[in-house]
């Protein structure tokens, strides 16, 4: 199959859409939706996010000044609210108040945890570096809060219950999570055996 | 809804499963599957990956020694191969040869691009830092290669044709991408108008 070279852009998707939030210096909760986000370490658990630094986003400023942030997962039935938080600006208005969202202070760090989101992480900034147009921020997870309704009996998050938003950067659209169809490690281990390794 | 505090781990999912590859000092192509991966900058386009640094993974060594790497997207019909590349070790065997995968050198940087993957990025390392158990590696995308069959008429990647693997770190399983159900920016802009902003 011949390969074609594409125009240089971030085609790389899909990623989960999440809402980052932080208190500004006056105690107001800022929030922005972003899709540049991934876990990055197991022990201790850490995540990395990328926020456009050329647009002077208020949430970015509040994350850097407070040194802490929360990450919340909107569900598919919250797509309007999540997308809105990505298009309006906290300099002009109180985005969370506008949509009836409320926050509770984190239990481990001074961050606003959005009550209406079913899964939230409380994070402390451990590393930052400017990468092109974005600020790359690594956070250590200090606490994880979840609604009981998205957990199984062992206390693990069930993605089918969380119904996260999967963002398609190329198609400018949100997808649902599809079906689970293969186990990790087991699938590879069986295949390994089948090829005589 | 009362929140429950969860056990401290990286519950944060779902993320796309991709295959990172790099040449070792003898010109052998190493590859490993990983799910700690996200775009991180638009201009220039950059990605960030996390690779476990405590397991002395050979691909990590080759990325750091060569300063470049490729990222390839396996499709759902390649889940066995992708998961296998995550469970076997390049110190013991030639994983790619074992499954009949071949590589072609990148056009912009000295990286192995896996021929059988429909979407690949050629990347140059621009930043590294140890984060907990993992090495966090940021790469600038120098070229993007794709099979024609996954592109639309404008040359953009169509995720429904790529059929990426979505990894669930909590459930240890691979999911398909679900349906597109809302446009980004438009959904939020309409909602903004509806609430009088």
């Amino acid at each position: 199959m011949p390969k074609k070279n594409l125009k240089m852009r971030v085609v790389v998707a899909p990623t989960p859409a999440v809402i980052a939030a932080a208190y500004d210096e006056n105690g107001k909760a800022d929030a922005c939706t972003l899709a540049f986000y991934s876990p990055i370490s197991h022990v201790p658990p850490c995540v990395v996010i990328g926020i456009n630094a050329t647009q002077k986003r208020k949430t970015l400023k509040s994350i850097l000044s407070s040194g802490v942030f929360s990450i919340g997962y909107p569900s598919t039935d919250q797509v309007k609210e999540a997308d809105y938080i990505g298009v309006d600006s906290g300099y002009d208005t109180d985005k969370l108040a506008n949509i009836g969202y409320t926050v509770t202070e984190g239990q481990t760090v001074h961050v606003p945890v959005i009550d209406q989101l079913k899964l939230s992480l409380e994070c402390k900034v451990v590393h930052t570096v400017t990468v092109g147009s974005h600020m790359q921020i690594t956070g250590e997870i200090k606490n994880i809060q979840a609604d009981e309704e998205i957990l199984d009996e062992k206390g693990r998050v069930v993605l089918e219950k969380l119904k996260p938003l999967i963002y398609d950067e190329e198609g400018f659209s949100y997808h649902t999570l599809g079906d689970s169809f293969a186990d990790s490690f087991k699938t590879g281990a069986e295949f390994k055996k089948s090829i005589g390794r």
Side-chain angles (χ1 to χ4, degrees), chain A:
Chain A
M1 177 68 65
K3 305 280 182 189
K4 191 173 171 185
N5 293 334
L6 304 194
K7 240 173 79 177
M8 289 295 291
R9 60 180 173 241
V10 176
V11 298
V12 279
T15 44
V18 294
I19 299 174
Y23 286 117
D24 74 7
E25 283 158 13
N26 301 314
K28 175 174 170 281
D30 288 315
C32 71
T33 303
L34 53 93
F36 288 5
Y37 161 76
S38 175
I40 203 72
S41 160
H42 274 127
V43 186
C46 297
V47 296
V48 65
I49 58 175
I51 301 184
N52 195 309
T54 65
Q55 297 170 339
K56 303 185 194 302
R57 296 190 77 151
K58 187 154 184 288
T59 305
L60 173 58
K61 197 176 159 194
S62 295
I63 291 173
L64 296 178
S65 63
S66 68
V68 287
F69 62 94
S70 72
I71 290 289
Y73 279 70
S75 298
T76 50
D77 61 359
Q78 296 171 314
V79 67
K80 277 195 305 188
E81 290 82 357
D83 199 50
Y84 163 73
I85 290 172
V87 301
D88 209 345
S89 170
Y91 283 115
D92 309 326
T93 190
D94 188 332
K95 293 190 279 188
L96 295 175
N98 290 348
I99 58 173
Y101 275 16
T102 53
V103 300
T104 300
E105 192 185 354
Q107 294 174 24
T108 58
V109 288
H110 180 60
V111 294
V113 174
I114 299 175
D115 299 315
Q116 286 74 17
L117 302 179
K118 292 175 187 163
L119 176 64
S120 292
L121 315 175
E122 301 174 24
C123 303
K124 181 180 184 302
V125 175
V126 293
H127 186 267
T128 63
V129 61
T130 300
V131 175
S133 51
H134 283 57
M135 179 68 75
Q136 173 179 288
I137 301 170
T138 309
E140 183 180 328
I141 303 173
K142 292 296 190 180
N143 190 30
I144 307 168
Q145 295 189 41
D147 286 7
E148 293 256 13
E149 65 177 82
I150 64 161
L151 303 177
D152 66 13
E153 68 285 355
K154 290 182 186 157
R156 297 184 77 98
V157 174
V158 179
L159 289 188
E160 288 83 352
K161 296 180 178 182
L162 175 62
K163 299 186 195 304
L165 296 177
I166 313 289
Y167 187 54
D168 174 2
E169 176 92 14
E170 279 285 274
F172 293 112
S173 75
Y174 296 98
H175 288 251
T176 60
L177 180 73
D179 295 330
S180 168
F181 72 101
D183 293 329
S184 59
F185 303 111
K186 201 188 285 186
T187 303
E190 283 170 7
F191 185 55
K192 183 180 172 185
K193 208 172 159 190
S194 78
I195 59 173
R197 277 283 305 150

